[in-house]
C-alpha cells in the first residue's frame, strides 16, 4: 500500500513509519520541518515537506495514496483552538475527497464522544464529525488516553513546590497511554480494508492520580509525592505565567475539569479495551531519567 503518515518523526509517527516500512509498504511522511527531510529519507520513507494547514499541498501529497494517518499538530498560538482543529480536519477532508483515498485513520482522543465541556477535545469531536461526513471512505478514529509524556510537564512543579497539582488529582482516574501502543494500534488498523468500528480506544494503563504520584515519586526518590487538586484560578494564572494564551489556558482548564468530574471517561468505561504493553512503571523510569537530568542542570 501507499500510505501517508502525518506528524513528521514525532512520538507516534516515527515508530508507525518504521512498522509500516518493515511490513513492505510505501510510506510518505509529511513534515513541516525541512531539517527532518534527510532523516525521513534515510529511514526509507519519502519526505513531503509542507504544512497540513496548506490545503493544496495536502491534495498534491495524497495523490494516488491508499491510506492516510491524520493527526492535528499542536498549535497553542492559534487564537481559537477549536477553530484550528476544524480547519485542519476540513483540509484533510478536502484532500481526501479530491485524491480518492479510501482508508483513513484519524488520531482523536478519549472524551471525543462529547460535543462540549472538554476543552481541546471538543475540537477532536468536531473533527470526527467532519471525517464522518466524507463520502465513500472507511474511517477509524483512534481515541487514546492521556499521553504519558505530558506528565513530564510537572517536573518543574515537583522541583519548586514538592508536589503535583492541577484542577484534577487525588482519586481522579487517568487512562494513560504510550505513543508506542498508539503506533501499534494505528499500524494494525490502517491496513484493514473494512473496519467494523468507527473508533478504537487505546490505553496503556489506568490509575488514580494518587497512584500515579506514588509511582513517579518512588522512581525519583520522593515516595511521599502527592497529587493535589488546585483551584482553577490558581492553575490558570500558572498557565498564563508560562506564556500560554488565554484561549489555550481556558481549554486546558476545561479539559482538566472534565477529568475531575469523570465525564471524559464515560464512554471509554462502557467499552474498556485491553491495555497496551507500556505500563506506568515502565514510563516512570523515563520520567526519573528526565527528572534527574534537569536536577543536574
Amino acid at each position: 500500500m501507499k500510505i501517508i503518515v502525518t506528524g513528521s518523526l514525532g512520538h507516534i509517527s516515527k515508530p508507525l513509519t518504521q512498522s509500516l516500512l518493515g511490513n513492505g509498504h510505501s510510506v510518505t511522511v509529511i513534515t513541516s520541518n525541512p531539517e527532518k527531510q534527510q532523516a525521513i529519507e534515510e529511514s526509507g520513507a519519502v519526505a513531503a515537506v509542507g504544512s497540513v494547514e496548506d490545503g493544496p499541498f495536502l491534495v498534491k501529497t495524497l495523490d494516488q495514496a491508499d491510506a492516510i494517518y491524520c493527526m492535528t499538530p499542536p498549535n497553542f498560538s492559534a487564537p481559537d483552538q477549536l477553530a484550528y482543529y476544524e480547519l485542519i480536519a476540513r483540509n484533510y477532508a478536502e484532500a481526501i475527497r479530491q485524491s480518492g483515498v479510501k482508508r483513513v485513520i484519524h488520531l482523536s482522543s478519549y472524551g471525543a464522544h462529547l460535543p462540549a465541556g472538554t476543552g481541546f477535545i471538543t475540537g477532536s469531536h468536531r473533527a470526527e464529525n467532519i471525517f464522518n461526513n466524507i463520502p465513500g471512505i472507511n474511517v477509524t478514529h483512534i481515541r487514546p488516553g492521556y499521553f504519558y509524556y505530558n506528565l513530564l510537564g510537572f517536573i518543574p512543579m515537583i522541583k519548586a513546590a514538592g508536589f503535583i497539582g492541577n484542577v484534577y488529582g487525588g482519586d481522579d482516574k487517568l487512562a494513560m497511554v504510550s505513543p508506542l501502543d498508539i503506533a501499534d494500534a494505528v499500524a494494525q488498523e490502517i491496513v484493514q480494508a473494512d473496519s467494523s468500528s468507527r473508533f478504537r480506544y487505546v490505553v496503556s494503563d489506568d490509575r488514580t492520580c494518587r497512584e500515579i504520584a506514588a509511582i513517579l515519586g518512588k522512581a525519583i526518590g520522593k515516595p511521599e509525592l502527592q497529587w493535589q487538586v488546585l483551584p482553577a484560578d490558581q492553575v490558570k494564572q500558572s498557565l498564563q505565567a508560562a506564556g500560554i494564551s488565554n484561549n489555550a489556558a481556558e481549554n486546558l482548564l476545561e479539559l482538566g475539569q472534565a477529568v475531575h468530574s469523570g465525564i471524559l471517561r464515560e464512554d471509554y468505561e462502557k467499552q474498556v479495551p485491553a491495555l497496551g504493553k507500556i505500563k506506568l512503571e515502565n514510563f516512570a523510569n523515563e520520567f526519573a531519567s528526565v527528572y534527574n537530568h534537569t536536577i543536574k542542570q
Side-chain angles (χ1 to χ4, degrees):
M1 295 175 65
K2 180 181 177 182
I3 300 171
I4 308 298
V5 172
T6 60
S8 190
L9 295 176
H11 295 284
I12 299 170
S13 300
K14 183 176 181 179
L16 172 61
T17 297
Q18 291 169 340
S19 175
L20 294 173
L21 289 170
N23 285 307
H25 299 289
S26 171
V27 180
T28 295
V29 177
I30 293 178
T31 181
S32 60
N33 185 353
E35 295 180 0
K36 298 289 181 68
Q37 180 173 353
Q38 182 177 348
I40 291 169
E41 293 173 347
E42 287 176 350
S43 75
V46 175
V49 180
S51 171
V52 294
E53 296 186 47
D54 182 345
F57 163 76
L58 275 180
V59 171
K60 179 180 177 181
T61 304
L62 268 63
D63 184 47
Q64 298 185 1
D66 299 299
I68 181 171
Y69 161 68
C70 302
M71 60 85 66
T72 304
N75 182 2
F76 287 112
S77 65
D80 184 330
Q81 292 293 314
L82 302 187
Y84 169 72
Y85 272 77
E86 291 182 282
L87 167 68
I88 301 303
R90 289 196 182 98
N91 282 350
Y92 280 133
E94 184 59 29
I96 289 164
R97 288 189 188 96
Q98 291 194 36
S99 65
V101 174
K102 298 301 181 186
R103 184 66 175 124
V104 177
I105 307 297
H106 166 234
L107 183 67
S108 184
S109 173
Y110 84 135
H113 64 290
L114 293 170
T118 59
F120 291 102
I121 296 176
T122 301
S124 292
H125 172 85
R126 295 179 184 180
E128 284 193 8
N129 288 336
I130 291 169
F131 280 101
N132 290 342
N133 286 319
I134 305 172
I137 68 166
N138 177 19
V139 60
T140 298
H141 304 288
I142 300 294
R143 290 180 174 176
Y146 178 102
F147 284 48
Y148 281 138
Y149 61 71
N150 287 331
L151 293 168
L152 298 172
F154 290 116
I155 288 177
M157 178 181 286
I158 295 171
K159 292 198 304 176
F163 62 86
I164 298 172
N166 209 318
V167 292
Y168 56 94
D171 291 324
D172 297 336
K173 294 193 74 175
L174 276 183
M176 299 167 291
V177 69
S178 164
L180 297 179
D181 284 330
I182 300 173
D184 284 347
V186 174
Q188 293 166 15
E189 291 288 338
I190 205 166
V191 297
Q192 293 188 24
D194 184 22
S195 174
S196 60
S197 177
R198 280 267 176 156
F199 56 86
R200 174 175 174 176
Y201 287 99
V202 184
V203 171
S204 303
D205 210 340
D206 198 1
R207 307 288 185 97
T208 67
C209 292
R210 194 181 310 280
E211 291 171 327
I212 294 166
I215 290 168
L216 297 181
K218 180 181 178 181
I220 62 174
K222 292 182 176 294
E224 75 289 349
L225 185 65
Q226 300 292 313
W227 190 322
Q228 301 180 15
V229 179
L230 302 177
D233 58 349
Q234 181 180 341
V235 175
K236 185 174 182 179
Q237 288 173 8
S238 296
L239 290 170
Q240 292 176 324
I244 303 295
S245 71
N246 185 64
N247 183 264
E250 288 178 349
N251 276 281
L252 286 168
L253 282 175
E254 188 174 79
L255 172 54
Q257 289 162 339
V259 173
H260 184 56
S261 70
I263 64 171
L264 202 69
R265 298 171 56 91
E266 288 176 342
D267 190 68
Y268 160 76
E269 288 185 341
K270 295 175 183 176
Q271 43 206 317
V272 177
L275 297 179
K277 297 179 293 187
I278 313 298
K279 303 306 176 190
L280 179 60
E281 286 81 0
N282 303 124
F283 173 76
N285 295 325
E286 177 184 340
F287 186 92
S289 178
V290 175
Y291 180 88
N292 291 330
H293 180 69
T294 58
I295 289 290
K296 291 175 183 178
Q297 288 182 327

